[in-house]
Each structure stands twice: as C-alpha cells, then as structure tokens.
C-alpha cells in the first residue's frame, strides 16, 4: 500500500519520506490529508482511482507511528460495514501489502480531499467533539455521494466494491 502524504503528514512520520515510489499493490495507492475540525487534528484518506474516503478523527503524535496499520484497520472495517464477505475482506487486507509513504501528491486527488473536508465540516457542524463521531459511519456517508474527478462522475463505494470483487 502506497500512501501519498502531504508535507504536514510527511514531517510527522517517524521515518523520512521519499519523493516518489512506484505503486505495486493490486488495489492501488491512496492519499492522506491532515486537517483541523473543531480544533482537532483529523486525517482523511482517499483512494486515488475510486475516490473512496476514510476518516480518522482526533489524530495525535502517536498515531503517525502506526499510520499504515490505522489505515488498514479503518479500510477493512469500512468494507465489513458494506457487508463484504469476510473472505474477501481478508483478501483485501492482504492485497494492501506493507505500508509505504512518499510525497508524490496529485492535485486532482487533493482537490477531492479538500471538498470532502469541507463537506465534513458542514455535516458535523452540530457535533461538539469530532471524537464522538463513528469514523466508519462517516466513511460510509462520504462514499455514498457522487464525486467528480477529472471531469467524470464517480461513485466511490461502487468503485471500491468492484475493485475488491476482482481480488
């Protein structure tokens, strides 16, 4: 699994991050974006191809040491919430591979991340503390809305389910 990190995230990771790596995982690469929501640091992960989103609220310094594991756990939980069979969820976990990080970001994916962060701010306006929000429910909400990427309309949930079904 390759996570393309923004500068803010790359500075917080325990190991130095290289400029660009080649993707070798079957499921493809992801982007990670750090933003503030109600004075709490939160992370959004976005799959490059399908724009499938994952939300992790209340990130602190210790979370960056285990960023790859946190992403994997959240991804597998979101697949289970979509009622993907257990065997396929396990194959998806294996298909992710070991976490690797680089700084080669894509403006289109970052734009999708910024739109999702803005939508989250509006959607969670009534919530006092982002830590009270279930990240899996937020991921489901984000992935059940259409998004545009490079002039095409995408349904993130449908796209990810198709990728996982091909495993």
């Amino acid at each position: 699994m390759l996570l393309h990190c923004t500068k803010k995230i790359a500075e917080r990771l325990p190991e130095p991050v290289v400029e660009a790596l080649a993707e070798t995982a079957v499921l493809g690469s992801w982007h990670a974006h750090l933003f503030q929501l109600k004075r709490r640091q939160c992370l959004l992960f976005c799959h490059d191809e399908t724009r499938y989103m994952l939300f992790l609220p209340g990130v602190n310094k210790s979370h960056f040491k285990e960023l790859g594991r946190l992403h994997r756990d959240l991804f597998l939980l979101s697949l289970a919430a979509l009622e993907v069979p257990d065997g396929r969820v396990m194959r998806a976990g294996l298909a992710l591979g070991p976490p690797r990080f680089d700084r080669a970001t894509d403006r289109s994916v970052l734009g999708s991340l910024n739109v999702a962060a803005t939508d989250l701010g509006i959607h969670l306006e009534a919530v006092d503390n982002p830590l009270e929000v279930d990240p899996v429910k937020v991921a489901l909400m984000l992935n059940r809305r259409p998004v545009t990427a490079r002039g095409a309309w995408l349904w993130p949930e449908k796209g990810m389910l198709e990728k996982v079904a091909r495993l």
Side-chain angles (χ1 to χ4, degrees):
M1 165 186 57
L2 179 58
L3 275 172
H4 303 292
C5 303
T6 58
K7 182 180 177 183
K8 287 183 196 178
I9 296 173
E11 291 171 346
R12 289 172 169 82
L13 292 174
E15 299 172 10
V17 177
V18 297
E19 284 300 314
L21 294 171
E23 176 54 58
T24 57
V26 177
L27 284 177
S29 58
W30 295 75
H31 272 66
H33 174 61
L34 183 68
F35 69 103
Q36 293 264 331
L37 185 63
K38 307 268 177 136
R39 296 186 317 212
R40 298 278 188 178
Q41 288 189 60
C42 300
L43 271 173
L44 268 177
F45 298 101
C46 180
H47 186 259
D48 292 357
E49 185 182 334
T50 63
R51 298 304 197 261
Y52 190 83
M53 300 272 181
L54 301 172
F55 172 66
L56 186 63
V59 179
N60 59 38
K61 188 176 180 179
S62 66
H63 288 114
F64 289 100
K65 295 177 185 172
E66 298 185 24
L67 193 58
R69 184 190 58 79
L70 291 170
H71 172 271
R72 176 187 307 277
D73 292 348
L74 192 55
F75 177 60
L76 297 180
L77 282 171
S78 73
L79 290 179
L82 292 172
E83 299 179 0
V84 173
D86 290 343
R88 199 164 285 152
V89 170
M90 297 301 281
R91 280 194 297 258
L94 292 172
L96 286 175
R100 299 178 308 140
F101 306 95
D102 75 4
R103 290 271 324 274
T105 56
D106 180 278
R107 288 176 57 111
S108 176
V109 181
L110 292 176
S112 296
L113 283 163
N114 284 330
V115 168
T118 302
D119 288 351
L120 268 177
I122 294 168
H123 183 74
L124 300 177
E125 192 170 314
V127 176
D128 291 330
N129 186 355
L131 297 175
E132 297 170 355
V133 176
D134 181 4
V136 175
K137 286 183 180 179
V138 171
L140 293 176
M141 182 270 303
L142 287 173
N143 294 318
R144 289 187 172 145
R145 63 190 174 92
V147 297
T148 58
R150 295 183 172 93
W153 286 96
L154 301 173
W155 290 90
E157 180 179 308
K158 181 182 175 193
M160 184 54 73
L161 288 175
E162 288 171 0
K163 284 191 85 60
V164 170
R166 284 182 264 169
L167 293 177

